[in-house]
């Protein structure tokens, strides 16, 4: 009977790769802070619309839609720039199948968020539409779910992978 050895294989992570992992983590922290602020902006109008009971109550808000739309476009264009910067850093970090999987998930969620924001911007062009409030709040529910998913991917996926698998930090608990 042959005796099997329990060999643990590991990959040596260079100091440069560790430094790059720290930079990537910081870029994604900045990105997620900006995502949180962007969603605070989106949820201001969503909260105001949720309070509306009668169509006439929407009238005072209509004057703000053009300004709101412009600010929303600016905020999300800046987010896309931050995302591209974070993804460039991510590509410089250790390239393994887990990192590639996480990157694909981040890109997928951001595309869904971008599509949702584009739907909001289209809705803001037609605030007189009878289904405006319902449609806006429905899109916002989906966007908030996508944001929660992105938060999880970054914290549970990317940060955990960088911390434990690349930087070698010890998990407690």
């Amino acid at each position: 009977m042959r005796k099997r050895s329990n060999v643990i294989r590991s990959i040596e992570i260079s100091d440069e790769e560790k430094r790059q992992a720290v930079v990537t983590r910081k870029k994604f922290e900045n990105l997620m802070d900006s995502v949180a602020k962007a969603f605070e902006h989106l949820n201001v109008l969503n909260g105001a619309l949720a309070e509306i009971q009668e169509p006439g109550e929407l009238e005072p808000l209509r004057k703000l839609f053009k300004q709101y739309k412009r600010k929303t476009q600016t905020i999300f264009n800046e987010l896309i720039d931050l995302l591209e910067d974070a993804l460039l850093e991510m590509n410089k970090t250790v390239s393994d199948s887990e990192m590639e999987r996480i990157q694909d998930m981040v890109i997928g969620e951001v595309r869904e968020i971008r599509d949702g924001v584009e739907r909001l911007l289209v809705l803001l062009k037609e605030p007189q539409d009878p289904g405006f409030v319902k449609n806006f709040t429905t899109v916002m529910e989906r966007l908030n779910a996508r944001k929660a998913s992105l938060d999880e991917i970054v914290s549970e996926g990317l940060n955990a992978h960088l911390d434990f698998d690349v930087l070698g930090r010890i998990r407690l608990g």
Side-chain angles (χ1 to χ4, degrees):
M1 184 176 211
R2 291 176 82 185
K3 187 175 181 181
R4 292 185 178 175
S5 66
N6 292 330
V7 176
I8 298 174
R9 294 184 181 166
S10 66
I11 297 172
E12 188 67 32
I13 306 293
S14 71
D15 288 342
E16 176 58 25
E17 289 169 319
K18 289 179 181 180
R19 186 200 64 74
Q20 189 58 50
V22 170
V23 171
T24 297
R25 195 175 196 292
K26 183 67 178 162
K27 293 281 184 175
F28 271 90
E29 286 173 8
N30 292 339
L31 172 67
M32 296 312 293
D33 287 345
S34 294
V35 167
K37 289 174 186 167
F39 272 79
E40 285 175 19
H41 167 75
L42 289 177
N43 282 308
V44 166
L45 182 56
N46 192 42
L49 292 176
E51 302 289 321
I52 292 177
Q53 302 294 320
E54 300 293 326
E57 295 174 357
L58 186 60
E59 198 56 43
L61 293 176
R62 289 181 209 259
K63 296 173 188 170
L64 302 174
F65 288 162
K66 193 175 205 174
Q67 179 183 0
Y68 183 84
K69 180 181 170 206
R70 206 172 317 119
K71 184 166 181 168
T72 300
Q73 286 174 312
T74 301
I75 288 170
F76 279 90
N77 286 340
E78 290 169 3
L79 268 184
I80 296 302
D81 290 343
L82 287 173
L83 173 69
E84 288 173 356
D85 190 37
L87 289 173
L88 283 172
E89 291 301 327
M90 188 180 196
N91 284 331
K92 296 176 190 175
T93 307
V94 174
S95 180
D96 60 12
S97 61
E98 182 65 9
M99 192 66 87
E100 290 172 9
R101 186 183 72 78
I102 293 167
Q103 186 174 23
D104 289 345
M105 290 169 52
V106 167
I107 291 169
E109 288 302 327
V110 170
R111 281 185 183 140
E112 291 294 328
I113 290 171
R114 183 199 62 212
D115 292 348
V117 170
E118 287 174 2
R119 283 192 292 279
L120 288 181
L121 295 174
V122 168
L123 286 171
L124 287 168
K125 290 179 185 175
E126 302 292 333
Q128 68 279 3
D129 185 290
F132 172 76
V133 172
K134 182 180 182 294
N135 292 337
F136 191 94
T137 55
T138 299
V139 171
M140 279 304 304
E141 286 173 7
R142 291 182 189 141
L143 278 169
N144 282 315
R146 290 296 184 183
K147 180 198 173 286
S149 179
L150 182 61
D151 287 341
E152 185 177 330
I153 291 166
V154 171
S155 65
E156 304 293 322
L158 178 65
N159 291 345
H161 181 59
L162 291 175
D163 286 349
F164 306 123
D165 298 334
V166 178
L167 298 172
R169 295 182 179 149
I170 299 171
R171 281 182 221 224
L172 299 176

